[in-house]
Short mmCIF file of all heavy atoms in Angstrom, two decimals:
data_model
loop_
_atom_site.label_atom_id
_atom_site.label_comp_id
_atom_site.label_asym_id
_atom_site.label_seq_id
_atom_site.Cartn_x
_atom_site.Cartn_y
_atom_site.Cartn_z
N HIS A 27 -3.36 20.98 -39.69
CA HIS A 27 -3.71 20.88 -38.27
C HIS A 27 -3.21 22.12 -37.53
O HIS A 27 -2.07 22.56 -37.73
CB HIS A 27 -3.10 19.63 -37.66
CG HIS A 27 -3.56 18.36 -38.32
ND1 HIS A 27 -4.68 17.69 -37.93
CD2 HIS A 27 -3.03 17.66 -39.36
CE1 HIS A 27 -4.84 16.61 -38.68
NE2 HIS A 27 -3.85 16.57 -39.57
N LEU A 28 -4.07 22.65 -36.67
CA LEU A 28 -3.76 23.83 -35.88
C LEU A 28 -3.76 23.43 -34.40
O LEU A 28 -4.77 22.91 -33.90
CB LEU A 28 -4.82 24.90 -36.13
CG LEU A 28 -4.46 26.36 -35.92
CD1 LEU A 28 -3.37 26.78 -36.89
CD2 LEU A 28 -5.70 27.24 -36.10
N HIS A 29 -2.62 23.66 -33.70
CA HIS A 29 -2.52 23.27 -32.30
C HIS A 29 -1.75 24.31 -31.50
O HIS A 29 -0.99 25.12 -32.07
CB HIS A 29 -1.80 21.93 -32.16
CG HIS A 29 -2.53 20.77 -32.75
ND1 HIS A 29 -3.69 20.27 -32.22
CD2 HIS A 29 -2.25 20.01 -33.85
CE1 HIS A 29 -4.12 19.24 -32.95
NE2 HIS A 29 -3.26 19.07 -33.95
N ALA A 30 -1.95 24.28 -30.19
CA ALA A 30 -1.08 25.03 -29.29
C ALA A 30 0.17 24.21 -29.04
O ALA A 30 0.12 22.98 -28.93
CB ALA A 30 -1.80 25.30 -27.97
N GLY A 31 1.32 24.87 -28.99
CA GLY A 31 2.57 24.16 -28.80
C GLY A 31 3.55 24.97 -27.98
O GLY A 31 3.23 26.00 -27.40
N GLY A 32 4.77 24.48 -27.94
CA GLY A 32 5.80 25.08 -27.11
C GLY A 32 6.00 24.24 -25.86
O GLY A 32 5.15 23.45 -25.46
N GLN A 33 7.15 24.41 -25.23
CA GLN A 33 7.55 23.56 -24.11
C GLN A 33 6.50 23.51 -23.00
O GLN A 33 6.11 22.44 -22.54
CB GLN A 33 8.88 24.05 -23.53
CG GLN A 33 9.43 23.18 -22.42
CD GLN A 33 10.71 23.73 -21.82
OE1 GLN A 33 10.94 24.94 -21.79
NE2 GLN A 33 11.56 22.85 -21.33
N GLY A 34 6.01 24.67 -22.57
CA GLY A 34 5.05 24.69 -21.49
C GLY A 34 3.73 24.01 -21.83
O GLY A 34 3.12 23.34 -20.99
N VAL A 35 3.29 24.17 -23.06
CA VAL A 35 2.04 23.53 -23.50
C VAL A 35 2.19 22.02 -23.51
O VAL A 35 1.31 21.28 -23.06
CB VAL A 35 1.62 24.05 -24.89
CG1 VAL A 35 0.43 23.24 -25.43
CG2 VAL A 35 1.27 25.53 -24.83
N TRP A 36 3.31 21.53 -24.04
CA TRP A 36 3.52 20.08 -24.10
C TRP A 36 3.60 19.49 -22.68
O TRP A 36 3.08 18.40 -22.42
CB TRP A 36 4.77 19.77 -24.90
CG TRP A 36 4.65 20.21 -26.34
CD1 TRP A 36 3.53 20.17 -27.12
CD2 TRP A 36 5.67 20.78 -27.16
NE1 TRP A 36 3.79 20.67 -28.37
CE2 TRP A 36 5.10 21.06 -28.43
CE3 TRP A 36 7.02 21.08 -26.96
CZ2 TRP A 36 5.83 21.63 -29.47
CZ3 TRP A 36 7.74 21.64 -28.00
CH2 TRP A 36 7.14 21.91 -29.25
N GLN A 37 4.23 20.22 -21.78
CA GLN A 37 4.27 19.76 -20.38
C GLN A 37 2.87 19.75 -19.77
O GLN A 37 2.48 18.79 -19.09
CB GLN A 37 5.21 20.67 -19.57
CG GLN A 37 6.67 20.53 -19.95
CD GLN A 37 7.52 21.65 -19.42
OE1 GLN A 37 7.01 22.70 -19.03
NE2 GLN A 37 8.83 21.46 -19.41
N ALA A 38 2.11 20.81 -20.02
CA ALA A 38 0.75 20.90 -19.47
C ALA A 38 -0.13 19.77 -20.00
O ALA A 38 -0.94 19.20 -19.26
CB ALA A 38 0.13 22.26 -19.84
N ARG A 39 0.03 19.43 -21.25
CA ARG A 39 -0.78 18.38 -21.87
C ARG A 39 -0.53 17.03 -21.19
O ARG A 39 -1.48 16.30 -20.87
CB ARG A 39 -0.46 18.33 -23.36
CG ARG A 39 -1.43 17.52 -24.21
CD ARG A 39 -1.12 17.74 -25.67
NE ARG A 39 -1.53 19.06 -26.13
CZ ARG A 39 -0.89 19.77 -27.06
NH1 ARG A 39 0.22 19.32 -27.61
NH2 ARG A 39 -1.35 20.96 -27.43
N MET A 40 0.73 16.70 -20.96
CA MET A 40 1.03 15.43 -20.30
C MET A 40 0.63 15.46 -18.83
O MET A 40 0.14 14.47 -18.29
CB MET A 40 2.51 15.09 -20.44
CG MET A 40 2.93 13.78 -19.77
SD MET A 40 2.01 12.32 -20.34
CE MET A 40 2.84 12.00 -21.90
N LEU A 41 0.83 16.59 -18.17
CA LEU A 41 0.40 16.72 -16.78
C LEU A 41 -1.09 16.44 -16.64
O LEU A 41 -1.53 15.71 -15.74
CB LEU A 41 0.71 18.13 -16.27
CG LEU A 41 2.11 18.34 -15.68
CD1 LEU A 41 2.46 19.82 -15.67
CD2 LEU A 41 2.18 17.77 -14.28
N GLN A 42 -1.86 17.01 -17.54
CA GLN A 42 -3.30 16.79 -17.48
C GLN A 42 -3.64 15.32 -17.75
O GLN A 42 -4.51 14.75 -17.09
CB GLN A 42 -4.00 17.68 -18.50
CG GLN A 42 -5.52 17.66 -18.38
CD GLN A 42 -6.17 18.52 -19.41
OE1 GLN A 42 -5.87 18.40 -20.59
NE2 GLN A 42 -7.05 19.40 -18.99
#
Side-chain angles (χ1 to χ4, degrees):
H27 301 272
L28 205 64
H29 295 290
Q33 184 183 29
V35 172
W36 297 324
Q37 291 165 343
R39 193 171 287 146
M40 179 57 78
L41 273 160
Q42 188 181 51

